C-alpha cells in the first residue's frame, strides 16, 4: 500500500514542526557554552539587546520558573554550572532568524573553567556499576562458571571491540514552534511521541498537562533522538512567553551534535569458549560506556548476549563513567546495535579459530529457552533466517580462507552476523468513529517515517473489513487518545493493539469504539519475545588505499506477521544502510582539549550517500506467533541496523585477513594493518 | 551572520574599482556563504562577481582558456576539457555534489578555504583565522590534515580537487587588481602556511581571478584518483593527479604528478617527477619515485596513514596509466 | 534591498535582508516550506531547488544574488493538480520514509535528468554515458537520506529516465 501521506510528502505540502504558519512569529537562537566544565561568571548581553530586532535575551541572569525535579538537560538557565561544551547558557529572541542569530553571537559569556574529563577509557578509575541499564534491565547477570567454561574450552577468543560516539542525525533538525494563548501552550514539535512530549514540557514548565498541546503530524526522522523532549522545545516555550509572540526554534545541524543525544562510545570485552565440536562453553560480555554528570543513561549493550546463544556459563556486565559530556541517549537499537556488533564479531572470530563455518557455529548454539532468564521463546527463527539468507546469498560457494580473492585492485570477502531485537508493546488508547461514510481512527501515535499512519490504516481497515480508502488515521497530536512514543520498535505493536480493539468495539457499537490496552498488556507475559535475523555482506577492500565498498547487503528477518511488505522492506533496508554507515564511516570525534566534538556537521560526520549502497535487500520468513498482540507482529524499526556492522567487519576480515576491532573501519586503520 | 552590504559588479574592471578594504568578492558562494554563516568570514560588503561575463571556455591554440565565472559543472562537461584534459574533468567531477558544482565557479573553487574542523569553529583558536591564537589541530584532531609542507603554526589542507589537476597541468591564473593585471603560475597561487597561515594564496587584497589558462595538455595518458571513506560527496583523504608518457623504449618520456589532501596547497610532486623521467616505466621506478616524494613527509600521530596511502596511490595510478 | 524573483512561474518582488538565504526567503517569507533545511551548509541537499533550471542548494545562495532569476521548488515541479512523473515514481517505489529529504531529492533528480556529460564514475569520458543505476547513484549523492531510502530513490529515477 502506498503511504497515505505520500502525496503530501512529494508535493511539499506535508508540514513539519516549524513550517506551520504563525502570525507575527519571532525566532530564538541559543548561546552555547564554550567550556566543558565550570561556571558561568558573567553574561554581558547589552550589545546583543541593542541589536536590530532583538526582543528578549534569556539567561541565568533572570532564571525562568522551571520545575526543580525536571530533567537537568531541560532546566534551561536555572543555574550557572556548565556540565558540557555546547550546553545552552543563554538565548536571544528577535524578529527575524538573521537578527536572532547575529545577536546570539554578540552575547558575551565569561566562564570560570575547571579541568574537564571527556574521554572514555577502559581503565577509568571512576567506572562503576549502574543499578539498572536502559530501560530497566539489571546491569549484571551471571549464570554458571565462566572461568571454568573458558578453562575447559577447546577454542577461546578474548577480544575487545570499540565503537565510537554516533549521532542519530535525522534529516530534519530538531525544531519547535511555541505559541501561548493566555496560560495555554501549543508546541509544534519534532517529536517521536506527542503525548510524552506534552507531559514532559508541562512538567518542566510547572503546568498541568491539560494546558499544553503538542502537535507533530510529520517528523523528519528521529532514530531515537526525538524520543525524549529536547531543550529546543523548552526554549521555544520560554522565548514565546518572553517575547509575547509565537517563537520558532530550529536547531542548526551543528547544535544537534551538542544537545539532542548520541550513542555512547563503548569498549566491549568478549570472552568466548567452545568445545571441539563448536558448542559454547562460556560467554562473557563486559561493556564500558559513558554518561554525563547530569543524568545517568546506561546503554544495555550486553543485554542481547542474554538472549542469543545456548551456553552453560554466561556473564554480562555494564560499567559506566560520568564524564563532562552531554547525556547520551537512544539511537536506533540502543543496546542491541553496539552489543551485537561486538558479540557477532567475536562469534566470527571463534568460528575462524575453531575452523567451523560461521553460519553453522550459530546454528550449533541455538538455545531451547532464553539463556539468561530461562523463559521459553514465543517464537524464534534465527536458524531459518540463517539458512534462508545463506541460500539467497550463495553462502555455500564460500571458501573460508581469508585474504585470497582478488578482482582487479580489490580483495573480496563475505561475512555473516545474527540480528535480534525485543518485541514488546506498551499500553495505548485509541478511538474509532464512523463519520460521514468514513472510519476515523484517532491516536496520539507518531509517524516519523516508519509508515505508522499507513500501517494503522491497513490494520483498521482489516479489522473493520472495509477498503483502506474508507479509513482515515489521525495521529501526531497530544489531544488525541494517549499513546506511547515511537521507540523500542514498540510503536506499531502498541498502537495497532489499541486500534484493533477500538475498531472491534466500533463494529459492536456501530458508531464508535474506544480502547485502552493497559489491562490486556498486563495480562500477558510468560514468554521471551524477540525478533531475529541474519545479515550477509559482501565487501571489497583495496589494500593499497584502504577503501572499502559494500556491493551487497542481504538480510533475512523473522518478525512475526508483516503488516505491509513495502513499508517493512523500507524499514529493514533503512536500518541496514545506517548499519553500513556505522561500519565504515560514522564517528563523532571527541575534542579532548575543548570538550564536545571536533566534527559536527554532515560534511565531517559522514552518513552513507546514495553511491555507498548499490544493493541492499531485505527478506523475511513466515512466522506465526500467537503470543504477541492481535496483529501477530513484531516491531521492525530497529532490527535492520543490528548485526550489519558485524557482518561487514567479518567480511572485511574474510577479504583481507585483518580484524579491525575499532569502528569505523577506515582506510587509516586498514592501512595500518596491511 | 554579521550585517553586510551587497553590490553586483557588471565587469571585472568595475569589480576591482568598486573593491575597498573589508570587501570580499562573491562567486558561487558555496564556501563563502558557508563561512559567513559560521562567523569565519565577516565581510563588510560583498561584491558579487558571479555574473561577470567571464563564463566562457575557449580553445587557445592547443590550450584552453577558462573564465573565472565558469561553473564547475560546465567545466567538467565541456567537450574540449573532456577531450584534452581528462585529468581536469575527472578532478572537477569528483568534487562535491551535482548541486554544488552547478553553483561553484572556477575562481571560487581555487580560493576555497580549508575544512580543518578548528578553522570552521569560531569558538576555538586557529592561527588561520587569527594569527597567533594557536593551532589545536596539532595536538588534537588532525586525522584529515597535512603531512607535507606544514608548519608549527598550521597543518591545514587545501580542499580543492580541481586545483590539484591545475597544478599538475601548469595552469596559469589570470588576475586583475588595483595594481593591474598579472599571471600567477599553478602551483604557486597557494602558499605553504609558514608563520602566516592566515594567507592561503599570494593574491593581494582586491585582486580578482579572471581566468585560468591551460597550456597544451601533456602527452600520454592522464587521470585523477581520489580516495575517501564515503564513496561520493566527500573531500579527499588523498588524491593524485597524474599524466604519464611512456616512450617507445619503455622509459618515462614525460610525467606530471600532483597530490591533494596532503598539504596547505596542491602539492606538485616534483621530486617524484624528477625520479621518474628517463626511468623504465614500471613498478620499481614508480615506487622509488613515490618514496622520493614522501621522504619529505612529516606525519602527525593521527594522519600517518596518509603517507602509505599517497605512496600506494601514486604507484597504482601510474600503473593504470602505463600502456 | 528589493529583489524580484520568478518563483514557480509567479513574479515576486520584495525587500530582503542581504543575509537572507534563498532557502529562508522561500520558507519564512514566501511560505514555500517544501524546500527543507537539513544542514544550512550545502552538505545534505534537502534544500535543492532549480535555479534557471539547474539544481542548486538554496541554503548557500543569498537571496539578493538571485535577483531577476527563476526558481522552481517542489511546489512548482508539476503542473496544476497533476504530479510530476518523478513524484509518481517516488510514491510507487516507496522512495522516502520521513519525507524530509524528499523535495530536495525530487528537485535534484529533475535537474539531474536534464544534465549532460559524464560523472565521476563514467569510465569513458568520450562517450555520452547511459543513465545506469551506478550513474544515478553517483549523480544523486548530493542528496542524503538518513532513512536509507536510496534503493527506492534509484529505482524511481531509473523508471522515469527510461
Amino acid at each position: 500500500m502506498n503511504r497515505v501521506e505520500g502525496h503530501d510528502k512529494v508535493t511539499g505540502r506535508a508540514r513539519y514542526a516549524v513550517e506551520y504558519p504563525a502570525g507575527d512569529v519571532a525566532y530564538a537562537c541559543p548561546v552555547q557554552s564554550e567550556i566543558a566544565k565550570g561556571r558561568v561568571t558573567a553574561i554581558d548581553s547589552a550589545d546583543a539587546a541593542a541589536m536590530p530586532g532583538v526582543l528578549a535575551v534569556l539567561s541565568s541572569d533572570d532564571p525562568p520558573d522551571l520545575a526543580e525535579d525536571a530533567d537537568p538537560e531541560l532546566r534551561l538557565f536555572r543555574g550557572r554550572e556548565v556540565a558540557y561544551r555546547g550546553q545552552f547558557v543563554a538565548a536571544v529572541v528577535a524578529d527575524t532568524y538573521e537578527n536572532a542569530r547575529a545577536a546570539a553571537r554578540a552575547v558575551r559569556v565569561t566562564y570560570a573553567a575547571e579541568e574537564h574529563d571527556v574521554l572514555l577509557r577502559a581503565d577509568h578509575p571512576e567506572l562503576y556499576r549502574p543499578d539498572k541499564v536502559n530501560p530497566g534491565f539489571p546491569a549484571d547477570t551471571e549464570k554458571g562458571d565462566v572461568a571454568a567454561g573458558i578453562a575447559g574450552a577447546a577454542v577461546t577468543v578474548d577480544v575487545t571491540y570499540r565503537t565510537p560516539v554516533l549521532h542519530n542525525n535525522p534529516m530534519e533538525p530538531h525544531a519547535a514552534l511555541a505559541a501561548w494563548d493566555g496560560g495555554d501552550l501549543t508546541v509544534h514539535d519534532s517529536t517521536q511521541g506527542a503525548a510524552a512530549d506534552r507531559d514532559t514540557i508541562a512538567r518542566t514548565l510547572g503546568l498541568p498537562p491539560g494546558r499544553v498541546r503538542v502537535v507533530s503530524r510529520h517528523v523528519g526522522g528521529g532514530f531515537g533522538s526525538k524520543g525524549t523532549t529536547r531543550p529546543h522545545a523548552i526554549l521555544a516555550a520560554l522565548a514565546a512567553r518572553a517575547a509575547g509572540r509565537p517563537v520558532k526554534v530550529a536547531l542548526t545541524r551543528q547544535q544537534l551534535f551538542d544537545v539532542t543525544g548520541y550513542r555512547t562510545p563503548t569498549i566491549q570485552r568478549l570472552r568466548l569458549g567452545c568445545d571441539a565440536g563448536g558448542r559454547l562453553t562460556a560467554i562473557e560480555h563486559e561493556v564500558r560506556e559513558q554518561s554525563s554528570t547530569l543524568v545517568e543513561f546506561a546503554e544495555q549493550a550486553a543485554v542481547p548476549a542474554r538472549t542469543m546463544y545456548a551456553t552453560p556459563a554466561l556473564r554480562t556486565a555494564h560499567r559506566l563513567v560520568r564524564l563532562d559530556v552531554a547525556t547520551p541517549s537512544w539511537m536506533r537499537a540502543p543496546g542491541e546495535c553496539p552489543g551485537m556488533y561486538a558479540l557477532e564479531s567475536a562469534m566470527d572470530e571463534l568460528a575462524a579459530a575453531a575452523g567451523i563455518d560461521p553460519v553453522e557455529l550459530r546454528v550449533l548454539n541455538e538455545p531451547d529457552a532464553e539463556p539468561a532468564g530461562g523463559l521459553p521463546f514465543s517464537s524464534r527463527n534465527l536458524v531459518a533466517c540463517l539458512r534462508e539468507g545463506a541460500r539467497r546469498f550463495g553462502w555455500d560457494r564460500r571458501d573460508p580462507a581469508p585474504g585470497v580473492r582478488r578482482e582487479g585492485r580489490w580483495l573480496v570477502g563475505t561475512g555473516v552476523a545474527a540480528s535480534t531485537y525485543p518485541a514488546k508493546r506498551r499500553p495505548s488508547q485509541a478511538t474509532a468513529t464512523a463519520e460521514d461514510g468514513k472510519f476515523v481512527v484517532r491516536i496520539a501515535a507518531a509517524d516519523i517515517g516508519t509508515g505508522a499512519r499507513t500501517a494503522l490504516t491497513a490494520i483498521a481497515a482489516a479489522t473493520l473489513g472495509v477498503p483502506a480508502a474508507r479509513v482515515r488515521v489521525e495521529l501526531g497530536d497530544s489531544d488525541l487518545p494517549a499513546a506511547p512514543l515511537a521507540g523500542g520498535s514498540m510503536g506499531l505493536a502498541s498502537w495497532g493493539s489499541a486500534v484493533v480493539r477500538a475498531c472491534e468495539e466500533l463494529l459492536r457499537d456501530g458508531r464508535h469504539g474506544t480502547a485502552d490496552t493497559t489491562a490486556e498488556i498486563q495480562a500477558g507475559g510468560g514468554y521471551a519475545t524477540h525478533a531475529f535475523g541474519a545479515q550477509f555482506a559482501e565487501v571489497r577492500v583495496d589494500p593499497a588505499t584502504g577503501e572499502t565498498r559494500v556491493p551487497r547487503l542481504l538480510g533475512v528477518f523473522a518478525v512475526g506477521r508483516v503488516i505491509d511488505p513495502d513499508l517493512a522492506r523500507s524499514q529493514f533496508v533503512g536500518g541496514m544502510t545506517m548499519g553500513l554507515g556505522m561500519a565504515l564511516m560514522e564517528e563523532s570525534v571527541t575534542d579532548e582539549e575543548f570538550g564536545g566534538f571536533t566534527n559536527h556537521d554532515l560534511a565531517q560526520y559522514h552518513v552513507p550517500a546514495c553511491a555507498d549502497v548499490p544493493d541492499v535487500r531485505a527478506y523475511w520468513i513466515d512466522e506465526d506467533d500467537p503470543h504477541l498482540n492481535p496483529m501477530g507482529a513484531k516491531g521492525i524499526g530497529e532490527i535492520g541496523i543490528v548485526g550489519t556492522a558485524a557482518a561487514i567487519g567479518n567480511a572485511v576480515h574474510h577479504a583481507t585477513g585483518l580484524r579491525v576491532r575499532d569502528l569505523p573501519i577506515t582506510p587509516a586503520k586498514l592501512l595500518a594493518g596491511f | 551572520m554579521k550585517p553586510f552590504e551587497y553590490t553586483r559588479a557588471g565587469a571585472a574592471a568595475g569589480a576591482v574599482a568598486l573593491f575597498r578594504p573589508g570587501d570580499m568578492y562573491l562567486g558561487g558562494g558555496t564556501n563563502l556563504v558557508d563561512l559567513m554563516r559560521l562567523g569565519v568570514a565577516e565581510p563588510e560588503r560583498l561584491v558579487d562577481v558571479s555574473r561577470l561575463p567571464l563564463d566562457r571556455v575557449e580553445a587557445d591554440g592547443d590550450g584552453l582558456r577558462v573564465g573565472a565565472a565558469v561553473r564547475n559543472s560546465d567545466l567538467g562537461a565541456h567537450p574540449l576539457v573532456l577531450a584534452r584534459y581528462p585529468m581536469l574533468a575527472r578532478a572537477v567531477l569528483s568534487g562535491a555534489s551535482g548541486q554544488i558544482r552547478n553553483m561553484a565557479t572556477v575562481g571560487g573553487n581555487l580560493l576555497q578555504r580549508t575544512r580543518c574542523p578548528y578553522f570552521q569553529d569560531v569558538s576555538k583558536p586557529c592561527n588561520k583565522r587569527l594569527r597567533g591564537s594557536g593551532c589545536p589541530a596539532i595536538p588534537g584532531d588532525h586525522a584529515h590534515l597535512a603531512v607535507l609542507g606544514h608548519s608549527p603554526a598550521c597543518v591545514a589542507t587545501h580542499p580543492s580537487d580541481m586545483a590539484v589537476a591545475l597544478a599538475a597541468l601548469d595552469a596559469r591564473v589570470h588576475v586583475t587588481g588595483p595594481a593591474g593585471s598579472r599571471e600567477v603560475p599553478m602551483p604557486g597561487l597557494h602558499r605553504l602556511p609558514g608563520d602566516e597561515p592566515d594567507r592561503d594564496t599570494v593574491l593581494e587584497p582586491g585582486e580578482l581571478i579572471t581566468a585560468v589558462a591551460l597550456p597544451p595538455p601533456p602527452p600520454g595518458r592522464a587521470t585523477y584518483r581520489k580516495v575517501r571513506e564515503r564513496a561520493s560527496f566527500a573531500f579527499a583523504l588523498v588524491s593524485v593527479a597524474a599524466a604519464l608518457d611512456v616512450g617507445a623504449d619503455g622509459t618515462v618520456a614525460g610525467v606530471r604528478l600532483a597530490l591533494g589532501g596532503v598539504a596547505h596547497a596542491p602539492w606538485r610532486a616534483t621530486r617524484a617527477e624528477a625520479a621518474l623521467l628517463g626511468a623504465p616505466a614500471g613498478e620499481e621506478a614508480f615506487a622509488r619515485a613515490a618514496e622520493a616524494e614522501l621522504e619529505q613527509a612529516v606525519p602527525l600521530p593521527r594522519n600517518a596513514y596518509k603517507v602509505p596511502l599517497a605512496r600506494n596511490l601514486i604507484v597504482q595510478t601510474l600503473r593504470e596509466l602505463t600502456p | 534591498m528589493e529583489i524580484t524573483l520568478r518563483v514557480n512561474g509567479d513574479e515576486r518582488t520584495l525587500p530582503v535582508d542581504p543575509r537572507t538565504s534563498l532557502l529562508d526567503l522561500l520558507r519564512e517569507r514566501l511560505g514555500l516550506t517544501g524546500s527543507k533545511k537539513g544542514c544550512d551548509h550545502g552538505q545534505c541537499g534537502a534544500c535543492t531547488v532549480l535555479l534557471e533550471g539547474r539544481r542548486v542548494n538554496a541554503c548557500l545562495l543569498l537571496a539578493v544574488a538571485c535577483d531577476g532569476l527563476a526558481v522552481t521548488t517542489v511546489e512548482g515541479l508539476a503542473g496544476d493538480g497533476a504530479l510530476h512523473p518523478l513524484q509518481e515514481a517516488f510514491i510507487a517505489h516507496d522512495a522516502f520514509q520521513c519525507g524530509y529529504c524528499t523535495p530536495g531529492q525530487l528537485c535534484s533528480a529533475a535537474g539531474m535528468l536534464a544534465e549532460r556529460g559524464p560523472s565521476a564514475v563514467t569510465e569513458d569520458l568520450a562517450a555520452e554515458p547511459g543513465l545506469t543505476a551506478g550513474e544515478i547513484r553517483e549523480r544523486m549523492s548530493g542528496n542524503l537520506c538518513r532513512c536509507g531510502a536510496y534503493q527506492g530513490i534509484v529505482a524511481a529515477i531509473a523508471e522515469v529516465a527510461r
Side-chain angles (χ1 to χ4, degrees), chain A residues 34 85 101-102 105 409 542 544-545 547 549 591-594 597-598 600 604 606-607 612 667-668 671, chain B residues 1 37-39 115 117-118 120-121 123-125 136 141 225 228-231 234 302 305 309 312 316:
Chain A
E34 296 189 0
R85 187 186 185 85
R101 205 154 170 200
R105 191 161 280 151
R409 65 186 176 98
D542 181 340
T545 63
E547 291 163 288
R549 300 291 179 254
D591 190 328
E592 293 178 50
E593 183 172 1
F594 299 105
F597 306 101
T598 62
H600 53 191
Q604 308 216 19
H606 284 164
V607 303
D612 290 293
L671 285 167
Chain B
M1 235 183 250
R37 197 162 284 136
L38 293 169
R115 263 56 173 199
Y118 300 96
Q120 296 184 94
D121 186 341
S123 71
K124 296 172 185 173
D141 182 4
R225 276 286 310 279
R228 42 190 166 175
E229 285 154 21
R230 186 157 71 184
R302 297 176 198 197
Y305 72 95
L309 174 51
N312 295 349
Q316 196 179 71

Side-chain angles (χ1 to χ4, degrees), chain A residues 139-397:
Chain A
D140 291 8
T141 62
E142 193 156 4
K143 179 187 88 169
D145 186 340
V146 166
I150 295 289
V155 183
T156 60
V157 296
D158 180 352
V159 283
T160 298
Y161 292 90
R162 289 164 188 271
T163 60
V165 170
L166 298 171
H167 274 90
N168 311 54
N169 273 314
M171 292 312 298
E172 181 203 16
H174 297 56
L177 163 63
W180 292 89
D181 178 6
D184 291 329
L185 173 68
T186 299
V187 184
H188 285 82
D189 196 7
S190 187
T191 175
Q192 292 175 222
D197 196 32
R198 181 258 329 265
D199 292 347
T200 304
I201 291 171
R203 191 179 330 120
T204 305
L205 297 174
L207 295 171
R211 309 303 294 271
V212 179
R213 179 184 178 195
V214 169
V215 180
S216 57
R217 294 199 181 92
H218 297 289
V219 180
F223 313 109
S225 71
K226 295 172 182 172
T228 52
T229 302
R230 294 291 166 189
H232 71 277
I234 304 300
L235 175 56
L238 296 176
R241 188 150 62 190
R245 306 159 57 162
V247 167
K248 291 183 184 180
V249 177
L251 296 186
T252 64
R253 177 61 56 180
Q254 289 84 352
Q255 287 163 349
L256 253 63
F257 283 78
D258 300 321
V259 299
T260 67
Y262 59 90
R263 195 194 299 285
T264 178
T266 68
I267 302 170
Q268 304 183 55
R269 184 179 178 196
L270 262 300
R271 289 203 300 159
L272 304 180
C274 69
D275 64 22
R279 290 191 189 278
L280 286 164
T281 55
I283 297 177
E284 183 177 58
H285 191 170
E286 291 179 334
V287 180
R288 289 171 171 77
E289 53 195 22
Q290 73 186 36
S291 191
S292 69
T293 58
L294 295 175
V295 179
E296 180 181 272
F297 177 86
E299 180 154 345
Q300 68 274 35
V303 164
R306 301 171 188 172
T307 300
M308 285 306 294
Y309 299 113
T311 174
L314 170 64
R315 179 174 171 265
T316 61
H318 297 83
R319 298 292 177 270
L320 194 66
V321 60
R322 308 290 284 273
L323 300 173
D324 303 310
V325 297
T327 311
S329 185
W330 305 323
M331 178 168 167
R332 203 169 200 166
E336 276 72 14
C337 176
M340 286 290 279
Y341 159 67
L343 177 61
E344 290 302 294
S345 300
M347 284 293 281
D348 197 68
E349 299 209 39
L350 186 70
I356 296 172
D357 178 85
V359 168
E360 296 309 322
L361 180 70
R362 290 169 172 92
V363 173
L364 275 169
N365 289 288
E366 180 70 2
D368 298 327
E370 191 170 42
L375 283 178
F377 287 100
S378 64
S379 59
R380 174 173 168 125
N381 282 296
L382 173 58
V383 171
C385 292
L386 285 162
R387 296 279 184 233
E388 175 69 359
R391 184 186 72 75
R392 288 183 176 274
F393 192 76
W395 188 260
D396 61 339
R397 296 189 296 272

Side-chain angles (χ1 to χ4, degrees), chain A residues 534-553:
Chain A
Q535 304 235 23
F536 293 79
E538 178 182 327
V539 306
R540 296 170 164 241
V541 182
D542 181 340
T545 63
E547 291 163 288
T548 301
R549 300 291 179 254
V550 183
R552 267 200 308 156
L553 275 180

Side-chain angles (χ1 to χ4, degrees), chain C:
Chain C
M1 294 182 68
E2 188 164 277
I3 63 164
T4 298
L5 292 175
R6 196 166 185 80
V7 183
N8 296 332
D10 294 334
E11 202 144 282
R12 307 293 295 259
T13 299
L14 69 173
V16 296
D17 183 327
R19 295 172 295 181
T20 302
S21 67
L22 175 61
L23 179 62
D24 284 333
L25 181 93
L26 293 167
R27 285 170 61 84
E28 304 297 330
R29 300 285 306 281
L30 301 180
L32 292 169
T33 53
S35 307
K36 304 303 184 194
K37 187 187 283 190
C39 72
D40 223 10
H41 288 273
Q43 301 162 354
C44 78
C47 66
T48 304
V49 298
L50 301 174
L51 185 69
E52 298 288 295
R54 293 163 66 122
R55 54 178 174 158
V56 294
N57 296 122
C59 72
L60 289 181
L61 282 161
L62 296 174
V64 284
C66 301
D67 186 20
L69 303 181
V71 182
T72 305
T73 70
V74 72
E75 291 94 339
L77 211 50
D80 286 343
L83 289 181
H84 187 282
L86 282 165
Q87 291 171 319
E88 300 266 18
F90 267 55
I91 293 174
H93 288 272
D94 206 34
F96 54 90
Q97 295 189 37
C98 81
Y100 200 78
C101 74
T102 310
Q105 301 277 2
L106 287 161
C107 288
S108 184
M112 181 272 282
L113 290 174
E115 289 169 3
R116 290 290 167 267
S119 81
V121 298
T122 308
E123 291 209 356
D124 181 1
L125 291 182
E128 182 67 25
L131 208 52
T132 61
E135 286 283 352
I136 293 172
R137 282 194 291 271
E138 162 60 23
R139 289 161 196 258
M140 289 300 294
S141 280
N143 291 85
L144 302 179
C145 170
R146 188 56 158 163
C147 297
Y150 296 126
Q151 309 301 313
I153 290 168
V154 173
I157 295 171
E159 182 187 292
V160 174
R162 272 198 293 271

Side-chain angles (χ1 to χ4, degrees), chain A residues 291-614:
Chain A
S291 191
S292 69
T293 58
L294 295 175
V295 179
E296 180 181 272
F297 177 86
E299 180 154 345
Q300 68 274 35
V303 164
R306 301 171 188 172
T307 300
M308 285 306 294
Y309 299 113
T311 174
L314 170 64
R315 179 174 171 265
T316 61
H318 297 83
R319 298 292 177 270
L320 194 66
V321 60
R322 308 290 284 273
L323 300 173
D324 303 310
V325 297
T327 311
S329 185
W330 305 323
M331 178 168 167
R332 203 169 200 166
E336 276 72 14
C337 176
M340 286 290 279
Y341 159 67
L343 177 61
E344 290 302 294
S345 300
M347 284 293 281
D348 197 68
E349 299 209 39
L350 186 70
I356 296 172
D357 178 85
V359 168
E360 296 309 322
L361 180 70
R362 290 169 172 92
V363 173
L364 275 169
N365 289 288
E366 180 70 2
D368 298 327
E370 191 170 42
L375 283 178
F377 287 100
S378 64
S379 59
R380 174 173 168 125
N381 282 296
L382 173 58
V383 171
C385 292
L386 285 162
R387 296 279 184 233
E388 175 69 359
R391 184 186 72 75
R392 288 183 176 274
F393 192 76
W395 188 260
D396 61 339
R397 296 189 296 272
R398 184 180 192 256
D399 168 4
V404 297
R405 287 153 299 275
R406 247 191 193 277
E407 287 180 27
R409 65 186 176 98
W410 301 99
L411 288 168
V412 182
T414 53
V416 65
S419 183
T420 188
Y421 198 79
K424 309 281 189 206
R425 59 176 174 153
R426 291 195 184 121
S428 178
Q429 300 171 15
T431 63
T433 312
E435 281 178 28
D436 307 328
K438 280 228 173 200
F439 298 94
V440 183
V441 170
R442 294 188 171 88
I443 181 167
D447 192 336
I448 60 173
T450 54
R453 192 182 272 107
T454 308
L456 291 176
T457 301
I459 288 168
T463 310
L464 294 167
V466 301
R470 288 188 61 198
V471 175
R472 187 176 82 237
V473 172
E474 293 182 5
L475 50 70
D477 187 333
S478 65
D479 278 1
L480 296 166
L485 53 87
S489 292
M490 289 181 277
L492 200 65
S494 309
W495 308 324
S497 298
V499 168
V500 167
R501 301 302 179 221
C503 289
E504 286 170 349
E505 194 184 310
L506 178 133
L507 288 175
R508 287 192 294 272
D509 179 86
R511 204 189 63 80
H512 184 71
T514 65
D516 183 335
T517 58
T518 305
E520 172 180 336
I521 288 170
Q522 278 167 353
Y527 290 96
T529 51
H530 302 269
F532 292 91
Q535 304 235 23
F536 293 79
E538 178 182 327
V539 306
R540 296 170 164 241
V541 182
D542 181 340
T545 63
E547 291 163 288
T548 301
R549 300 291 179 254
V550 183
R552 267 200 308 156
L553 275 180
L554 188 153
V556 178
F557 302 93
V559 294
R561 190 169 76 81
V562 167
I563 307 276
D564 182 296
D566 291 337
L567 299 176
R569 190 175 300 108
S570 290
Q571 283 284 75
F572 293 134
V573 166
M576 293 163 74
T577 301
M578 200 179 272
L580 182 148
M582 175 188 180
L584 298 182
M585 61 189 81
E586 292 189 35
E587 176 177 23
S588 299
V589 180
T590 296
D591 190 328
E592 293 178 50
E593 183 172 1
F594 299 105
F597 306 101
T598 62
N599 57 338
H600 53 191
D601 62 32
L602 293 173
Q604 308 216 19
Y605 183 101
H606 284 164
V607 303
C610 199
D612 290 293
V613 284

